[in-house]
Amino acid sequence: MGDRKQAGDQEFQAFVIGRWPRLMRTAFLLAGEQHAAEDLVQSTLERVYVAWRRVGAADDPEAYVRRVLINTHARRHRRKLREFLAPKDDSGIAPEVPDTGDRIAQAEDRGVLLQALAQLPPRQRQAVVLRYWEDLTETQTAEAMGCSVGAVKSNAAKGIAKLRGIPELTDMATYGGRK
């Protein structure tokens, strides 16, 4: 029994090490603050660890963990009426290192994008982040959000439409982030 538990712990540890940056990025985009994102990922991983035998045996453990992350965030959001995507004092926060080839992460003015995301309602923000930042399919996004593909399409379309209406983002897209 001990060997099986140890093997499961090692498998869980390898999963966490491999997925930590992506989980943190998604959590940051959903929660808006570095510390809140870290708490969200930790809470998610606590829940997942308890059920790791079932999660590790799933067809797509990453999708399962993503769903737990979204549900944990939704529960917190229901209790907390307001979230902020821009910390009041970011002097002590280590900057996120962009993935190679992640053009959004390499944009000069990510603050504008984060403030724009903060203006979206939670479901639209989730749909936009999962579809366009995490590059999930509509089906994967629907599974992560616990809704239909139609709801994902609707929320993503409404979110993108709102983002297109923000002049600062339009300027960034038009002028490549430079004026």
Side-chain angles (χ1 to χ4, degrees):
M1 173 103 176
D3 291 337
R4 199 166 40 169
K5 174 151 177 33
Q6 188 176 11
D9 286 351
Q10 289 173 346
E11 184 182 330
F12 177 76
Q13 183 179 12
F15 177 86
V16 171
I17 290 169
R19 304 309 193 293
W20 181 263
R22 189 170 194 159
L23 289 170
M24 277 299 299
R25 182 179 60 209
T26 302
F28 179 78
L29 291 169
L30 293 173
E33 294 179 325
Q34 184 74 21
H35 299 295
E38 289 169 357
D39 288 345
L40 179 58
V41 172
Q42 286 291 347
S43 296
T44 298
L45 293 175
E46 286 172 12
R47 289 188 165 113
V48 168
Y49 177 74
V50 172
W52 183 249
R53 283 182 55 199
R54 183 182 44 196
V55 175
D59 290 338
D60 188 358
E62 188 170 355
Y64 189 103
V65 173
R66 192 179 309 113
R67 177 69 187 267
V68 173
L69 180 78
I70 295 292
N71 289 343
T72 303
H73 175 260
R75 273 193 295 281
R76 286 184 178 182
H77 183 68
R78 275 185 233 123
R79 282 184 264 143
K80 183 178 168 187
L81 295 177
R82 192 170 171 125
E83 293 179 350
F84 298 96
L85 274 175
K88 293 180 182 173
D89 178 22
D90 63 353
S91 59
I93 297 175
E96 178 186 355
V97 179
D99 294 342
T100 340
D102 186 354
R103 292 180 185 261
I104 294 174
Q106 295 170 352
E108 286 183 13
D109 195 358
R110 293 182 63 209
V112 173
L113 180 58
L114 294 175
Q115 288 174 350
L117 282 172
Q119 296 175 27
L120 298 178
R123 295 298 278 180
Q124 289 178 13
R125 184 183 329 151
Q126 289 171 358
V128 169
V129 166
L130 294 173
R131 277 288 290 133
Y132 301 106
W133 202 305
E134 292 299 323
D135 200 29
L136 299 180
T137 65
E138 290 169 343
T139 304
Q140 291 170 324
T141 303
E143 289 172 5
M145 292 176 61
C147 62
S148 68
V149 171
V152 168
K153 289 179 181 181
S154 174
N155 281 307
K158 288 176 185 175
I160 293 295
K162 283 184 183 178
L163 292 176
R164 284 185 179 137
I166 297 174
E168 293 85 4
L169 285 181
T170 305
D171 292 344
M172 281 177 58
T174 305
Y175 301 108
R178 296 186 182 103
K179 290 186 181 180

